[in-house]
Amino acid sequence: MDVNVAAAAVAAVCGLAVGVAGTLAFRWSERSQGQGSGTAPSGPVLPPGVATVLSVLRSSAVVLDEHDAVVKASSAAYTFGLVRGDQLVPDELLRMSRDTRRDGEIRQRDLLLPRRDGQELEVSARVAPLGSRLVLLLVEDRTEARRVDAVRRDFVANVSHELKTPVGALSLLAEAVLDASDDPEAVRRFSGRMQVESARLTNLVQELIDLSRVQNDHPLQDIAPVPVDDLVAEAVDRCRQVAQNKQITLAVGGDPGLVIPGDHNQLVMALGNLVENAVNYSPERTRVDIDVRVTGRKAVIAVSDQGIGIPHRDLDRIFERFYRVDPARSRATGGTGLGLSIVKHIVAGHGGEVTVRSLEGVGTTFTLVLPLLPADDRGTGPDAASTAAQPSPTGPALSYNSREASG
């Protein structure tokens, strides 16, 4: 009898323990599913596949729950400062999310959001409901795209203006020639002006063609060893007559025999533009120096003048297309405002960089830094160094012993 009572007591205790464990398990299940009476869910689960899709999107992605807490956010959302901890930071995006959660409508807006560096971020934000409890926010950075669009619009406007000026001048001069057909002196004067405007138009069109060729993202096609001596010689030769007319001394110095890989014609164009600018913007009876040095595995070519200099406020913009420090002087010298932009794109395409230092009233120095051709690629024989310094078919190599050419 005592044994039966003990067994019944043990069975009762076990049943009670099982009942308590079952109740706890049921309550835990309710909590994990967010079905407790008046208790906030501990963490909504994303629908299957959503996390994978968000991870491959280029836009910044944020998923919010009904309490505006961040359930899931891409790394870009943290990088741009849209999410901090588990909270969405920008108030504009938070208001859009709440409105969408309230009425279930998809919303899209373009916004300016502050960045951590103090600048503004131009974004396109799109909010949509994700199931019954979640809201999906996609934010695409449009800052660079808007900047490119603005540059494109400015370029078209500048091209139209620059083409309109010489074309309009040619039209007026042609009318003047017709009206002065019985005055040979006037005809000769107007015809001379027509030649000047025609040359200006030709130069502008040619530089537009050159710029379109060098600013694309395609790799260089005609890469070959290019002796720096030849580049300097050709660049100096292009400006020799103008320098002589202004009695400007062209002085060349530095390290001879350097060889760089690249497109010969493009490199001549880049260096020639710098030397031509130095001559055009220098007063008479001054000096332009072209100095070539080796720094590590780089060839450093510096073109210095004693000209009017560039104001400090303009130094960051002189490589922009059609930007002129002094538009009146640029037109007087035949400049189109495209030369330095061409230089920048050519040098960048060759894996180098171009820098500028200037002081108003003292002069300006443009410096090209280009990678040297490895010695193994130009030969390692005893005559390799002397071969690189031999005269080229297009002109004599410079001696680099402070050789000067003046008018």
Side-chain angles (χ1 to χ4, degrees):
M1 183 66 177
D2 293 337
V3 175
N4 293 335
V5 172
V10 171
V13 172
C14 291
L16 179 61
V18 171
V20 171
T23 302
L24 291 176
F26 179 77
R27 293 299 184 187
W28 177 260
S29 176
E30 284 188 330
R31 177 183 294 182
S32 65
Q33 296 177 16
Q35 297 174 353
S37 57
T39 303
S42 60
V45 179
L46 290 176
V50 172
T52 303
V53 173
L54 297 183
S55 66
V56 299
L57 288 177
R58 299 181 61 181
S59 304
S60 301
V62 181
V63 178
L64 302 177
D65 64 12
E66 64 266 35
H67 302 286
D68 293 330
V70 175
V71 177
K72 178 73 174 179
S74 63
S75 58
Y78 289 97
T79 301
F80 289 134
L82 303 180
V83 175
R84 190 174 300 137
D86 64 345
Q87 296 297 318
L88 184 65
V89 177
D91 292 335
E92 298 90 339
L93 299 180
L94 199 56
R95 284 193 293 268
M96 289 179 62
S97 301
R98 289 170 178 172
D99 293 341
T100 295
R101 184 184 302 111
R102 184 181 64 252
D103 56 25
E105 293 185 2
I106 297 176
R107 286 175 169 81
Q108 182 168 355
R109 289 180 57 190
D110 293 333
L111 302 171
L112 290 177
L113 302 179
R115 291 174 49 171
R116 295 177 179 176
D117 56 5
Q119 303 296 322
E120 286 188 324
L121 192 69
E122 296 187 38
V123 302
S124 176
R126 186 178 179 87
V127 183
L130 186 64
S132 60
R133 300 167 54 198
L134 304 178
V135 172
L136 172 63
L137 175 66
L138 298 178
V139 180
E140 183 177 359
D141 182 12
R142 301 288 297 166
T143 307
E144 181 64 17
R146 297 290 171 81
R147 187 193 68 82
V148 171
D149 288 341
V151 170
R152 185 181 295 110
R153 289 194 300 270
D154 291 343
F155 179 70
V156 172
N158 287 328
V159 168
S160 301
H161 174 74
E162 294 297 331
L163 289 175
K164 182 179 179 180
T165 301
V167 169
L170 286 172
S171 178
L172 293 175
L173 289 169
E175 293 179 4
V177 169
L178 290 176
D179 294 339
S181 57
D182 55 347
D183 186 350
E185 180 60 29
V187 170
R188 283 194 295 270
R189 184 172 67 255
F190 292 140
S191 298
R193 287 292 304 160
M194 290 178 70
Q195 288 182 328
V196 171
E197 295 297 335
S198 177
R200 178 182 171 189
L201 182 60
T202 301
N203 291 338
L204 176 58
V205 173
Q206 184 58 52
E207 290 202 341
L208 286 171
I209 294 173
D210 294 338
L211 181 61
S212 67
R213 288 174 177 171
V214 302
Q215 72 178 357
N216 59 50
D217 297 329
H218 301 299
L220 293 173
Q221 301 296 325
D222 302 322
I223 299 180
V226 179
V228 176
D229 299 4
D230 294 352
L231 296 180
V232 176
E234 290 187 47
V236 169
D237 191 60
R238 285 175 51 175
C239 305
R240 190 181 303 277
Q241 186 59 49
V242 178
Q244 289 178 351
N245 293 341
K246 299 178 67 174
Q247 299 181 15
I248 292 177
T249 300
L250 298 175
V252 179
D255 301 323
L258 304 185
V259 181
I260 58 179
D263 185 301
H264 179 90
N265 293 332
Q266 288 191 13
L267 291 170
V268 169
M269 185 190 308
L271 185 58
N273 284 348
L274 294 182
V275 177
E276 186 176 0
N277 279 353
V279 172
N280 287 338
Y281 291 96
S282 293
E284 295 182 356
R285 290 181 291 277
T286 55
R287 176 186 176 106
V288 172
D289 292 283
I290 302 97
D291 185 73
V292 180
R293 301 289 177 182
V294 176
T295 301
R297 298 181 180 180
K298 305 285 186 179
V300 180
I301 308 173
V303 179
S304 305
D305 63 50
Q306 299 172 340
I308 59 176
I310 303 171
H312 181 75
R313 65 180 182 274
D314 296 310
L315 288 177
D316 292 336
R317 300 194 60 191
I318 58 173
F319 293 102
E320 296 178 11
R321 292 170 291 190
F322 292 112
Y323 186 80
R324 295 184 176 96
V325 176
D326 185 350
R329 185 179 180 91
S330 296
R331 290 190 174 91
T333 59
T336 63
L338 292 174
L340 291 179
S341 181
I342 292 174
V343 172
K344 180 189 72 173
H345 286 290
I346 290 176
V347 174
H350 284 76
E353 63 176 345
V354 55
T355 60
V356 57
R357 292 183 294 107
S358 186
L359 188 62
E360 288 187 86
V362 177
T364 302
T365 297
F366 284 92
T367 303
L368 304 181
V369 181
L370 295 162
L372 284 169
L373 188 70
D376 294 342
D377 293 340
R378 49 176 147 153
T380 56
D383 299 330
S386 60
T387 301
Q390 291 299 317
S392 69
T394 56
L398 301 184
S399 66
Y400 282 79
N401 296 320
S402 298
R403 177 177 177 176
E404 298 182 359
S406 61

